[in-house]
Amino acid sequence: MARAQSRKAPALTWASVDVLDATSIAAVLPGLDVLISGFQPGNAARDFTDTVRRSIADRTVYATAARALLKALESQPRTRLIVIGGAGSLEIAPGVVRADSDELLHEALDQLGLPREYAAAVRGHRDALNVLRTSNRLWTYLSPAEEIAPGERTGRYRLGGDQPVLDAEGRSRISIEDAAVALVDEAELPRFVQRRFTIGY
């Protein structure tokens, strides 16, 4: 079961939600304009190794979460959904998706220092995107840059669709801080409804 923590802050109300259960999600939807899902098994901030282990254990969990989110939105069809997913489903060349190739995916995981078994999670994110693509709900899927890490908040970034945004050195990269800016920008000014988008410098 995947649950969010309950806590309160000024002007914020946090609710405990089981992202794999449509009824649980639907209970918090009334009054929401936008629901943002950053679902990942475990808590990577506290225990990254555990999150990797859980992500590898069941690649279907991402698609299950996507189905539950879409089912919940049936009760609130005007609520927008933004799902933060992965970069492995981006096309690195026309029609070539890293998640579809063991060789390409293993090469990328090696460069990132992740175990090759993490390919299951990358493909799980791709499967969740495919679930969303069959829906007529107001969904958006954010594929971050291939390299995303803590850095500087510049407020400057470029947008893309199904192909990674590359910098002058040919790298697909973004800071977590600028990725957050892009996420909030899309929430406030929707440009990619029923589409995937990506970001980079």
Side-chain angles (χ1 to χ4, degrees), residues 23-60:
T23 303
S24 178
I25 300 165
V28 300
L29 289 180
L32 288 184
D33 295 322
V34 182
L35 172 64
I36 299 174
S37 171
F39 169 66
Q40 181 78 26
N43 184 334
R46 288 190 185 156
D47 190 340
F48 183 74
T49 302
D50 178 61
T51 293
V52 169
R53 182 184 57 76
R54 290 180 186 220
S55 299
I56 292 169
D58 180 7
R59 91 175 226 193
T60 67

Side-chain angles (χ1 to χ4, degrees), residues 29-157:
L29 289 180
L32 288 184
D33 295 322
V34 182
L35 172 64
I36 299 174
S37 171
F39 169 66
Q40 181 78 26
N43 184 334
R46 288 190 185 156
D47 190 340
F48 183 74
T49 302
D50 178 61
T51 293
V52 169
R53 182 184 57 76
R54 290 180 186 220
S55 299
I56 292 169
D58 180 7
R59 91 175 226 193
T60 67
V61 72
Y62 300 100
T64 300
R67 288 187 193 94
L69 289 161
L70 293 172
K71 180 70 175 171
L73 288 173
E74 291 178 4
S75 65
Q76 300 288 329
R78 297 188 62 82
T79 299
R80 291 176 48 232
L81 169 66
I82 301 177
V83 174
I84 304 167
S89 59
L90 292 166
E91 291 184 357
I92 57 174
V96 179
V97 175
R98 199 180 302 278
D100 295 340
S101 163
D102 283 342
E103 181 181 348
L104 293 172
L105 190 47
H106 290 165
E107 177 186 351
L109 293 172
D110 291 347
Q111 289 176 356
L112 293 171
L114 289 168
R116 290 186 171 186
E117 292 81 8
Y118 195 72
V122 174
R123 291 183 170 127
H125 281 295
R126 176 203 56 197
D127 296 345
L129 172 59
N130 288 335
V131 168
L132 295 173
R133 284 176 164 159
T134 66
S135 171
N136 62 358
R137 298 285 163 233
L138 303 178
W139 62 269
T140 299
Y141 188 93
L142 168 58
S143 283
E146 293 173 340
E147 298 175 38
I148 181 168
E152 182 184 354
R153 179 179 185 242
T154 69
R156 296 181 180 189
Y157 58 87

